[in-house]
Amino acid sequence: MTDSIVSFPQLNRPAPAFNTKTTHGMRSLTDYKGKWLVLFSHPADFTPVCTTEFMGFAQRAEEFAQLNTELLGLSIDSIHSHIAWVRNIEENFGVEITFPIISDLSMAVAKAYGMIQPGASDTAAVRATFIIDPEGILRAMVYYPMSNGRSVDEFVRLVKALQTSDANGVATPENWQPGDQVIVPPPATTADAKARLDEGYEYTDWYFSKKSL
């Protein structure tokens, strides 16, 4: 017997639409138009790894807000379970979860985003994270196994990198941080390649040049 086919959204295409219940009332993808959105799933409420992740996102919520970025969590659990878990986190750890959490009992959102993977579980979402831009376009997606927590630092960094690339028409190198040099797009013609050496960039070769912003 083969595993069920998992449907995945595609980068640089419109993110799957949703209109669903959350701990802050109904939310739809269109509610986030004009803002970046980090949508992330977790396997279940009241689990230790998920608890650390939710606290990590909550503790960086203000930094995300300064980047015009909203947070939206998801699991297959009910609204009442989410509310109880959020209250439990605040009581036990002193961390307030300020972002909404989708109650996806029907698994409609989870399936649309490829969060349900039979190799892991038929009823729990893996640790999937999606970055959606202000036009509703899916720009990045990252999947983690249930056993290992995500790095919130990486998603802050990735949002900053995407925004920098959009604003300046550049790429960012491995582990780029704000203030680091960026990569200039390679020339598209032999004439441009020949001219690249004299264009004022930090030149390594015709296809690899950097600059400071």
Side-chain angles (χ1 to χ4, degrees):
M1 180 174 167
T2 58
D3 287 339
S4 300
I5 296 174
V6 179
S7 175
F8 291 94
Q10 296 181 28
L11 294 180
N12 299 318
R13 300 289 299 273
F18 57 81
N19 185 42
T20 187
K21 291 181 179 179
T22 80
T23 51
H24 292 192
M26 296 298 293
R27 287 288 189 277
S28 68
L29 182 60
T30 57
D31 292 332
Y32 297 95
K33 187 172 178 60
K35 293 189 175 185
W36 291 77
L37 174 65
V38 176
L39 169 64
F40 60 99
S41 60
H42 64 280
D45 297 347
F46 294 100
T47 53
V49 176
C50 298
T51 298
T52 65
E53 290 185 320
F54 265 59
M55 290 192 296
F57 276 111
Q59 290 164 337
R60 305 296 290 277
E62 180 56 35
E63 186 172 359
F64 279 112
Q66 292 173 3
L67 297 170
N68 190 36
T69 302
E70 299 283 339
L71 299 172
L72 180 60
L74 176 147
S75 88
I76 309 305
D77 292 308
S78 69
I79 287 290
H80 290 156
S81 176
H82 288 344
I83 292 172
W85 185 39
V86 165
R87 288 169 59 86
N88 182 272
I89 290 174
E90 186 167 8
E91 291 168 1
N92 287 329
F93 300 96
V95 176
E96 181 182 3
I97 306 300
T98 56
F99 51 82
I101 308 170
I102 293 172
S103 171
D104 196 27
L105 290 172
S106 69
M107 298 191 284
V109 180
K111 288 180 177 178
Y113 280 83
M115 298 172 180
I116 303 296
Q117 302 195 11
S121 171
D122 289 324
T123 58
V126 297
R127 302 182 194 286
T129 309
F130 304 88
I131 299 179
I132 301 168
D133 73 17
E135 297 304 318
I137 303 301
L138 179 61
R139 301 293 299 278
M141 56 183 179
V142 183
Y143 291 78
Y144 279 66
M146 293 185 181
S147 56
N148 303 101
R150 289 162 278 210
S151 168
V152 178
D153 285 346
E154 170 57 13
F155 296 112
V156 172
R157 189 197 74 85
L158 184 52
V159 169
K160 291 178 179 178
L162 287 166
Q163 292 179 351
T164 297
S165 292
D166 285 0
N168 299 280
V170 296
T172 58
E174 182 272 336
N175 198 35
W176 175 89
Q177 301 292 336
D180 292 350
Q181 288 188 313
V182 296
I183 295 174
V184 182
T189 68
T190 53
D192 289 341
K194 185 175 182 180
R196 175 54 55 92
L197 178 61
D198 300 317
E199 291 179 331
Y201 301 127
E202 182 181 295
Y203 178 92
T204 300
D205 206 335
W206 67 269
Y207 71 94
F208 192 97
S209 296
K210 292 182 177 181
K211 72 174 182 177
S212 298
L213 293 176

Short mmCIF file of all heavy atoms in Angstrom, two decimals, residues 65-129:
data_model
loop_
_atom_site.label_atom_id
_atom_site.label_comp_id
_atom_site.label_asym_id
_atom_site.label_seq_id
_atom_site.Cartn_x
_atom_site.Cartn_y
_atom_site.Cartn_z
N ALA A 65 6.77 42.47 13.84
CA ALA A 65 5.86 43.59 13.58
C ALA A 65 6.59 44.77 12.97
O ALA A 65 6.08 45.46 12.09
CB ALA A 65 5.14 43.99 14.87
N GLN A 66 7.82 45.03 13.45
CA GLN A 66 8.61 46.12 12.90
C GLN A 66 9.00 45.87 11.45
O GLN A 66 9.35 46.81 10.73
CB GLN A 66 9.86 46.32 13.77
CG GLN A 66 9.55 46.86 15.16
CD GLN A 66 10.76 46.89 16.07
OE1 GLN A 66 11.87 46.55 15.66
NE2 GLN A 66 10.55 47.29 17.31
N LEU A 67 8.94 44.61 11.03
CA LEU A 67 9.21 44.23 9.64
C LEU A 67 7.92 44.14 8.82
O LEU A 67 7.91 43.55 7.75
CB LEU A 67 9.95 42.89 9.60
CG LEU A 67 11.33 42.86 10.24
CD1 LEU A 67 11.84 41.41 10.36
CD2 LEU A 67 12.31 43.71 9.45
N ASN A 68 6.82 44.70 9.36
CA ASN A 68 5.52 44.64 8.70
C ASN A 68 5.10 43.18 8.46
O ASN A 68 4.57 42.82 7.41
CB ASN A 68 5.54 45.40 7.36
CG ASN A 68 4.16 45.57 6.75
OD1 ASN A 68 3.19 45.76 7.47
ND2 ASN A 68 4.07 45.49 5.43
N THR A 69 5.35 42.35 9.47
CA THR A 69 5.13 40.91 9.35
C THR A 69 4.25 40.42 10.48
O THR A 69 4.51 40.69 11.66
CB THR A 69 6.47 40.15 9.37
OG1 THR A 69 7.30 40.63 8.29
CG2 THR A 69 6.26 38.66 9.22
N GLU A 70 3.19 39.67 10.12
CA GLU A 70 2.29 39.08 11.09
C GLU A 70 2.63 37.60 11.28
O GLU A 70 3.19 36.95 10.38
CB GLU A 70 0.84 39.21 10.61
CG GLU A 70 0.36 40.64 10.42
CD GLU A 70 0.03 41.31 11.74
OE1 GLU A 70 -0.22 40.59 12.73
OE2 GLU A 70 0.02 42.55 11.77
N LEU A 71 2.26 37.07 12.44
CA LEU A 71 2.44 35.65 12.74
C LEU A 71 1.08 34.97 12.82
O LEU A 71 0.12 35.54 13.33
CB LEU A 71 3.18 35.49 14.07
CG LEU A 71 4.58 36.08 14.17
CD1 LEU A 71 5.08 35.99 15.60
CD2 LEU A 71 5.54 35.37 13.23
N LEU A 72 1.02 33.73 12.35
CA LEU A 72 -0.21 32.96 12.40
C LEU A 72 0.14 31.49 12.58
O LEU A 72 0.77 30.88 11.72
CB LEU A 72 -1.02 33.16 11.11
CG LEU A 72 -2.35 32.42 10.98
CD1 LEU A 72 -3.31 32.83 12.09
CD2 LEU A 72 -2.97 32.69 9.61
N GLY A 73 -0.25 30.91 13.74
CA GLY A 73 0.02 29.51 14.01
C GLY A 73 -1.12 28.62 13.56
O GLY A 73 -2.21 29.09 13.24
N LEU A 74 -0.88 27.31 13.57
CA LEU A 74 -1.90 26.34 13.17
C LEU A 74 -1.61 24.98 13.80
O LEU A 74 -0.46 24.56 13.87
CB LEU A 74 -1.93 26.18 11.65
CG LEU A 74 -2.89 25.13 11.07
CD1 LEU A 74 -3.42 25.57 9.71
CD2 LEU A 74 -2.24 23.75 10.94
N SER A 75 -2.66 24.31 14.26
CA SER A 75 -2.60 22.87 14.51
C SER A 75 -3.99 22.29 14.30
O SER A 75 -4.96 23.03 14.12
CB SER A 75 -2.07 22.54 15.91
OG SER A 75 -3.12 22.50 16.85
N ILE A 76 -4.08 20.98 14.35
CA ILE A 76 -5.34 20.29 14.11
C ILE A 76 -6.25 20.37 15.33
O ILE A 76 -7.41 19.99 15.28
CB ILE A 76 -5.07 18.81 13.73
CG1 ILE A 76 -4.05 18.73 12.59
CG2 ILE A 76 -6.33 18.10 13.30
CD1 ILE A 76 -4.41 19.50 11.35
N ASP A 77 -5.74 20.87 16.45
CA ASP A 77 -6.52 20.92 17.69
C ASP A 77 -7.64 21.96 17.62
O ASP A 77 -7.67 22.82 16.73
CB ASP A 77 -5.60 21.22 18.88
CG ASP A 77 -4.64 20.07 19.15
OD1 ASP A 77 -5.11 18.94 19.27
OD2 ASP A 77 -3.42 20.33 19.24
N SER A 78 -8.54 21.89 18.61
CA SER A 78 -9.71 22.77 18.66
C SER A 78 -9.37 24.14 19.21
O SER A 78 -8.30 24.35 19.82
CB SER A 78 -10.80 22.14 19.55
OG SER A 78 -10.38 22.16 20.91
N ILE A 79 -10.27 25.08 19.02
CA ILE A 79 -10.12 26.42 19.60
C ILE A 79 -9.98 26.33 21.12
O ILE A 79 -9.13 26.99 21.71
CB ILE A 79 -11.32 27.31 19.23
CG1 ILE A 79 -11.26 27.71 17.75
CG2 ILE A 79 -11.37 28.56 20.12
CD1 ILE A 79 -10.15 28.69 17.40
N HIS A 80 -10.81 25.52 21.77
CA HIS A 80 -10.74 25.41 23.23
C HIS A 80 -9.40 24.86 23.69
O HIS A 80 -8.85 25.31 24.70
CB HIS A 80 -11.89 24.52 23.73
CG HIS A 80 -13.23 25.17 23.59
ND1 HIS A 80 -14.40 24.45 23.51
CD2 HIS A 80 -13.59 26.48 23.50
CE1 HIS A 80 -15.42 25.28 23.38
NE2 HIS A 80 -14.95 26.51 23.37
N SER A 81 -8.86 23.91 22.95
CA SER A 81 -7.54 23.38 23.27
C SER A 81 -6.48 24.46 23.12
O SER A 81 -5.60 24.62 23.98
CB SER A 81 -7.21 22.19 22.38
OG SER A 81 -5.89 21.72 22.62
N HIS A 82 -6.57 25.24 22.03
CA HIS A 82 -5.61 26.34 21.81
C HIS A 82 -5.68 27.35 22.95
O HIS A 82 -4.64 27.79 23.47
CB HIS A 82 -5.94 27.07 20.50
CG HIS A 82 -5.61 26.30 19.26
ND1 HIS A 82 -4.79 25.21 19.23
CD2 HIS A 82 -6.01 26.50 17.96
CE1 HIS A 82 -4.69 24.76 17.99
NE2 HIS A 82 -5.42 25.53 17.20
N ILE A 83 -6.89 27.73 23.33
CA ILE A 83 -7.06 28.72 24.40
C ILE A 83 -6.46 28.20 25.71
O ILE A 83 -5.73 28.92 26.41
CB ILE A 83 -8.54 29.08 24.57
CG1 ILE A 83 -9.04 29.85 23.35
CG2 ILE A 83 -8.75 29.92 25.85
CD1 ILE A 83 -10.55 30.09 23.34
N ALA A 84 -6.75 26.94 26.02
CA ALA A 84 -6.22 26.37 27.26
C ALA A 84 -4.70 26.31 27.24
O ALA A 84 -4.04 26.60 28.24
CB ALA A 84 -6.80 24.97 27.46
N TRP A 85 -4.13 25.97 26.08
CA TRP A 85 -2.67 25.87 25.96
C TRP A 85 -2.01 27.24 26.07
O TRP A 85 -1.01 27.40 26.77
CB TRP A 85 -2.33 25.21 24.62
CG TRP A 85 -0.87 24.93 24.41
CD1 TRP A 85 0.05 24.49 25.32
CD2 TRP A 85 -0.17 25.07 23.17
NE1 TRP A 85 1.27 24.34 24.73
CE2 TRP A 85 1.17 24.68 23.41
CE3 TRP A 85 -0.55 25.47 21.89
CZ2 TRP A 85 2.13 24.69 22.41
CZ3 TRP A 85 0.40 25.46 20.90
CH2 TRP A 85 1.73 25.08 21.15
N VAL A 86 -2.59 28.23 25.40
CA VAL A 86 -2.06 29.60 25.47
C VAL A 86 -2.07 30.09 26.92
O VAL A 86 -1.10 30.70 27.40
CB VAL A 86 -2.87 30.53 24.55
CG1 VAL A 86 -2.59 31.99 24.88
CG2 VAL A 86 -2.55 30.24 23.07
N ARG A 87 -3.16 29.84 27.63
CA ARG A 87 -3.25 30.24 29.03
C ARG A 87 -2.23 29.49 29.89
O ARG A 87 -1.60 30.06 30.79
CB ARG A 87 -4.66 30.00 29.55
CG ARG A 87 -5.70 30.97 28.99
CD ARG A 87 -7.13 30.53 29.33
NE ARG A 87 -7.33 30.43 30.78
CZ ARG A 87 -7.67 31.44 31.56
NH1 ARG A 87 -7.84 32.65 31.03
NH2 ARG A 87 -7.86 31.26 32.85
N ASN A 88 -2.03 28.22 29.57
CA ASN A 88 -1.07 27.40 30.30
C ASN A 88 0.36 27.92 30.12
O ASN A 88 1.15 27.97 31.07
CB ASN A 88 -1.18 25.95 29.83
CG ASN A 88 -0.25 25.02 30.58
OD1 ASN A 88 0.89 24.84 30.19
ND2 ASN A 88 -0.75 24.41 31.65
N ILE A 89 0.68 28.31 28.88
CA ILE A 89 2.02 28.85 28.60
C ILE A 89 2.26 30.12 29.41
O ILE A 89 3.33 30.31 30.01
CB ILE A 89 2.20 29.11 27.09
CG1 ILE A 89 2.27 27.78 26.32
CG2 ILE A 89 3.46 29.93 26.82
CD1 ILE A 89 2.29 27.93 24.82
N GLU A 90 1.26 31.00 29.44
CA GLU A 90 1.43 32.25 30.18
C GLU A 90 1.56 31.98 31.69
O GLU A 90 2.39 32.60 32.37
CB GLU A 90 0.26 33.19 29.91
CG GLU A 90 0.45 34.56 30.54
CD GLU A 90 -0.52 35.60 30.03
OE1 GLU A 90 -1.45 35.23 29.28
OE2 GLU A 90 -0.35 36.79 30.37
N GLU A 91 0.77 31.03 32.20
CA GLU A 91 0.82 30.73 33.63
C GLU A 91 2.12 30.04 34.03
O GLU A 91 2.70 30.36 35.08
CB GLU A 91 -0.36 29.82 34.00
CG GLU A 91 -1.72 30.52 33.92
CD GLU A 91 -2.89 29.53 34.00
OE1 GLU A 91 -2.63 28.31 34.12
OE2 GLU A 91 -4.05 30.00 33.91
N ASN A 92 2.61 29.13 33.20
CA ASN A 92 3.78 28.35 33.57
C ASN A 92 5.11 28.98 33.16
O ASN A 92 6.14 28.75 33.82
CB ASN A 92 3.70 26.94 32.95
CG ASN A 92 2.69 26.06 33.65
OD1 ASN A 92 2.46 26.20 34.84
ND2 ASN A 92 2.08 25.15 32.91
N PHE A 93 5.10 29.77 32.08
CA PHE A 93 6.35 30.30 31.55
C PHE A 93 6.39 31.82 31.52
O PHE A 93 7.43 32.41 31.21
CB PHE A 93 6.61 29.75 30.14
CG PHE A 93 6.72 28.25 30.09
CD1 PHE A 93 5.63 27.47 29.75
CD2 PHE A 93 7.92 27.62 30.38
CE1 PHE A 93 5.72 26.08 29.70
CE2 PHE A 93 8.03 26.24 30.33
CZ PHE A 93 6.93 25.46 30.00
N GLY A 94 5.27 32.47 31.78
CA GLY A 94 5.24 33.92 31.79
C GLY A 94 5.33 34.54 30.42
O GLY A 94 5.71 35.71 30.30
N VAL A 95 4.99 33.80 29.37
CA VAL A 95 5.06 34.30 28.00
C VAL A 95 3.65 34.39 27.43
O VAL A 95 2.92 33.40 27.41
CB VAL A 95 5.93 33.39 27.11
CG1 VAL A 95 5.92 33.89 25.66
CG2 VAL A 95 7.35 33.32 27.64
N GLU A 96 3.28 35.58 26.97
CA GLU A 96 1.96 35.77 26.37
C GLU A 96 2.02 35.51 24.87
O GLU A 96 2.86 36.08 24.16
CB GLU A 96 1.46 37.20 26.62
CG GLU A 96 0.07 37.46 26.06
CD GLU A 96 -0.38 38.90 26.27
OE1 GLU A 96 0.41 39.70 26.80
OE2 GLU A 96 -1.52 39.20 25.88
N ILE A 97 1.14 34.64 24.40
CA ILE A 97 1.06 34.35 22.97
C ILE A 97 0.08 35.35 22.36
O ILE A 97 -1.14 35.25 22.54
CB ILE A 97 0.57 32.90 22.71
CG1 ILE A 97 1.45 31.89 23.46
CG2 ILE A 97 0.54 32.61 21.22
CD1 ILE A 97 2.92 31.93 23.08
N THR A 98 0.61 36.31 21.63
CA THR A 98 -0.21 37.43 21.15
C THR A 98 -0.75 37.22 19.74
O THR A 98 -1.60 37.99 19.28
CB THR A 98 0.60 38.73 21.18
OG1 THR A 98 1.80 38.55 20.41
CG2 THR A 98 0.97 39.10 22.61
N PHE A 99 -0.27 36.22 19.03
CA PHE A 99 -0.72 36.00 17.65
C PHE A 99 -1.84 34.95 17.62
O PHE A 99 -1.95 34.11 18.52
CB PHE A 99 0.45 35.56 16.76
CG PHE A 99 1.25 34.41 17.31
CD1 PHE A 99 0.83 33.10 17.15
CD2 PHE A 99 2.43 34.64 18.00
CE1 PHE A 99 1.56 32.04 17.66
CE2 PHE A 99 3.18 33.59 18.52
CZ PHE A 99 2.74 32.29 18.34
N PRO A 100 -2.67 34.95 16.59
CA PRO A 100 -3.76 33.97 16.49
C PRO A 100 -3.26 32.59 16.12
O PRO A 100 -2.19 32.44 15.51
CB PRO A 100 -4.66 34.55 15.39
CG PRO A 100 -3.78 35.44 14.59
CD PRO A 100 -2.74 35.96 15.52
N ILE A 101 -4.05 31.58 16.50
CA ILE A 101 -3.75 30.18 16.16
C ILE A 101 -4.97 29.60 15.46
O ILE A 101 -6.08 29.64 15.98
CB ILE A 101 -3.44 29.34 17.41
CG1 ILE A 101 -2.36 30.02 18.27
CG2 ILE A 101 -2.99 27.94 17.01
CD1 ILE A 101 -2.18 29.37 19.63
N ILE A 102 -4.76 29.06 14.27
CA ILE A 102 -5.84 28.45 13.51
C ILE A 102 -6.25 27.12 14.14
O ILE A 102 -5.40 26.30 14.49
CB ILE A 102 -5.41 28.20 12.05
CG1 ILE A 102 -5.20 29.53 11.31
CG2 ILE A 102 -6.42 27.33 11.30
CD1 ILE A 102 -4.59 29.37 9.93
N SER A 103 -7.56 26.92 14.26
CA SER A 103 -8.10 25.61 14.63
C SER A 103 -8.48 24.90 13.34
O SER A 103 -9.46 25.26 12.69
CB SER A 103 -9.32 25.76 15.54
OG SER A 103 -9.97 24.52 15.71
N ASP A 104 -7.72 23.89 12.97
CA ASP A 104 -7.89 23.26 11.66
C ASP A 104 -8.37 21.82 11.81
O ASP A 104 -7.76 20.88 11.30
CB ASP A 104 -6.57 23.32 10.89
CG ASP A 104 -6.73 23.05 9.41
OD1 ASP A 104 -7.82 23.32 8.86
OD2 ASP A 104 -5.76 22.57 8.79
N LEU A 105 -9.49 21.65 12.54
CA LEU A 105 -10.01 20.31 12.79
C LEU A 105 -10.33 19.55 11.50
O LEU A 105 -10.19 18.34 11.43
CB LEU A 105 -11.26 20.39 13.67
CG LEU A 105 -11.02 20.81 15.13
CD1 LEU A 105 -12.36 21.03 15.83
CD2 LEU A 105 -10.21 19.76 15.87
N SER A 106 -10.74 20.28 10.48
CA SER A 106 -11.06 19.64 9.20
C SER A 106 -9.80 19.31 8.39
O SER A 106 -9.87 18.61 7.38
CB SER A 106 -11.95 20.56 8.36
OG SER A 106 -11.23 21.70 7.93
N MET A 107 -8.68 19.86 8.80
CA MET A 107 -7.38 19.70 8.12
C MET A 107 -7.36 20.35 6.74
O MET A 107 -6.48 20.06 5.93
CB MET A 107 -6.96 18.23 8.04
CG MET A 107 -6.77 17.59 9.38
SD MET A 107 -5.99 15.95 9.33
CE MET A 107 -7.36 14.95 8.76
N ALA A 108 -8.32 21.23 6.46
CA ALA A 108 -8.40 21.84 5.13
C ALA A 108 -7.18 22.71 4.84
O ALA A 108 -6.59 22.63 3.76
CB ALA A 108 -9.68 22.67 5.01
N VAL A 109 -6.80 23.56 5.79
CA VAL A 109 -5.64 24.43 5.57
C VAL A 109 -4.36 23.60 5.55
O VAL A 109 -3.49 23.78 4.70
CB VAL A 109 -5.56 25.52 6.66
CG1 VAL A 109 -4.35 26.42 6.43
CG2 VAL A 109 -6.84 26.35 6.69
N ALA A 110 -4.25 22.68 6.50
CA ALA A 110 -3.05 21.84 6.59
C ALA A 110 -2.82 21.06 5.30
O ALA A 110 -1.69 20.95 4.81
CB ALA A 110 -3.17 20.89 7.77
N LYS A 111 -3.88 20.51 4.71
CA LYS A 111 -3.74 19.75 3.47
C LYS A 111 -3.39 20.65 2.30
O LYS A 111 -2.59 20.29 1.43
CB LYS A 111 -5.01 18.95 3.20
CG LYS A 111 -5.20 17.78 4.15
CD LYS A 111 -6.48 17.01 3.85
CE LYS A 111 -6.61 15.80 4.77
NZ LYS A 111 -7.88 15.06 4.53
N ALA A 112 -3.98 21.84 2.27
CA ALA A 112 -3.70 22.77 1.17
C ALA A 112 -2.24 23.19 1.15
O ALA A 112 -1.67 23.47 0.09
CB ALA A 112 -4.61 24.00 1.28
N TYR A 113 -1.63 23.24 2.33
CA TYR A 113 -0.23 23.67 2.45
C TYR A 113 0.75 22.50 2.59
O TYR A 113 1.93 22.71 2.86
CB TYR A 113 -0.08 24.62 3.64
CG TYR A 113 -0.51 26.04 3.33
CD1 TYR A 113 -1.85 26.42 3.39
CD2 TYR A 113 0.42 27.01 2.96
CE1 TYR A 113 -2.24 27.72 3.11
CE2 TYR A 113 0.04 28.31 2.67
CZ TYR A 113 -1.30 28.66 2.75
OH TYR A 113 -1.69 29.95 2.47
N GLY A 114 0.28 21.27 2.43
CA GLY A 114 1.18 20.12 2.51
C GLY A 114 1.71 19.88 3.90
O GLY A 114 2.80 19.32 4.07
N MET A 115 0.96 20.27 4.93
CA MET A 115 1.41 20.09 6.32
C MET A 115 1.16 18.69 6.85
O MET A 115 1.77 18.28 7.84
CB MET A 115 0.69 21.09 7.22
CG MET A 115 0.96 22.56 6.90
SD MET A 115 -0.13 23.61 7.91
CE MET A 115 0.37 25.25 7.38
N ILE A 116 0.24 17.95 6.22
CA ILE A 116 -0.06 16.59 6.64
C ILE A 116 0.73 15.64 5.76
O ILE A 116 0.52 15.58 4.55
CB ILE A 116 -1.57 16.27 6.53
CG1 ILE A 116 -2.38 17.27 7.35
CG2 ILE A 116 -1.85 14.85 6.98
CD1 ILE A 116 -2.14 17.21 8.84
N GLN A 117 1.65 14.90 6.36
CA GLN A 117 2.50 13.99 5.61
C GLN A 117 2.40 12.59 6.22
O GLN A 117 2.81 12.37 7.36
CB GLN A 117 3.94 14.51 5.61
CG GLN A 117 4.02 15.91 5.01
CD GLN A 117 5.41 16.33 4.64
OE1 GLN A 117 6.34 15.54 4.63
NE2 GLN A 117 5.55 17.61 4.31
N PRO A 118 1.84 11.64 5.48
CA PRO A 118 1.57 10.30 6.01
C PRO A 118 2.79 9.61 6.60
O PRO A 118 2.66 8.78 7.50
CB PRO A 118 1.03 9.55 4.79
CG PRO A 118 0.43 10.62 3.93
CD PRO A 118 1.32 11.81 4.10
N GLY A 119 3.98 9.93 6.10
CA GLY A 119 5.19 9.33 6.66
C GLY A 119 5.43 9.75 8.09
O GLY A 119 6.17 9.09 8.83
N ALA A 120 4.82 10.87 8.51
CA ALA A 120 4.97 11.35 9.88
C ALA A 120 3.71 11.06 10.70
O ALA A 120 3.77 10.52 11.80
CB ALA A 120 5.25 12.86 9.88
N SER A 121 2.54 11.42 10.15
CA SER A 121 1.27 11.19 10.84
C SER A 121 0.14 11.52 9.89
O SER A 121 0.25 12.41 9.05
CB SER A 121 1.17 12.07 12.08
OG SER A 121 -0.13 12.02 12.64
N ASP A 122 -0.96 10.80 10.04
CA ASP A 122 -2.15 11.09 9.23
C ASP A 122 -3.04 12.14 9.87
O ASP A 122 -3.99 12.61 9.24
CB ASP A 122 -2.97 9.80 9.02
CG ASP A 122 -2.27 8.82 8.08
OD1 ASP A 122 -1.62 9.29 7.13
OD2 ASP A 122 -2.37 7.61 8.32
N THR A 123 -2.76 12.49 11.12
CA THR A 123 -3.67 13.38 11.85
C THR A 123 -2.98 14.57 12.50
O THR A 123 -3.63 15.36 13.16
CB THR A 123 -4.40 12.60 12.95
OG1 THR A 123 -3.43 12.02 13.84
CG2 THR A 123 -5.26 11.49 12.37
N ALA A 124 -1.68 14.71 12.34
CA ALA A 124 -0.96 15.83 12.93
C ALA A 124 -0.12 16.53 11.87
O ALA A 124 0.44 15.89 10.98
CB ALA A 124 -0.05 15.36 14.08
N ALA A 125 -0.05 17.85 11.97
CA ALA A 125 0.73 18.62 11.01
C ALA A 125 2.21 18.59 11.40
O ALA A 125 2.56 18.68 12.57
CB ALA A 125 0.24 20.07 11.00
N VAL A 126 3.07 18.44 10.40
CA VAL A 126 4.50 18.55 10.66
C VAL A 126 4.84 20.02 10.93
O VAL A 126 3.99 20.91 10.83
CB VAL A 126 5.33 18.03 9.46
CG1 VAL A 126 5.08 16.55 9.24
CG2 VAL A 126 5.03 18.83 8.19
N ARG A 127 6.10 20.29 11.27
CA ARG A 127 6.52 21.67 11.55
C ARG A 127 6.84 22.37 10.23
O ARG A 127 7.99 22.39 9.79
CB ARG A 127 7.75 21.67 12.47
CG ARG A 127 7.51 20.98 13.78
CD ARG A 127 8.72 21.04 14.71
NE ARG A 127 8.55 20.10 15.78
CZ ARG A 127 7.72 20.26 16.81
NH1 ARG A 127 6.99 21.36 16.91
NH2 ARG A 127 7.61 19.33 17.74
N ALA A 128 5.83 22.91 9.62
CA ALA A 128 5.99 23.60 8.34
C ALA A 128 5.87 25.11 8.56
O ALA A 128 5.09 25.56 9.39
CB ALA A 128 4.93 23.15 7.35
N THR A 129 6.67 25.86 7.81
CA THR A 129 6.67 27.33 7.93
C THR A 129 6.62 27.93 6.54
O THR A 129 7.37 27.52 5.65
CB THR A 129 7.93 27.82 8.66
OG1 THR A 129 8.08 27.09 9.88
CG2 THR A 129 7.83 29.30 8.96
#
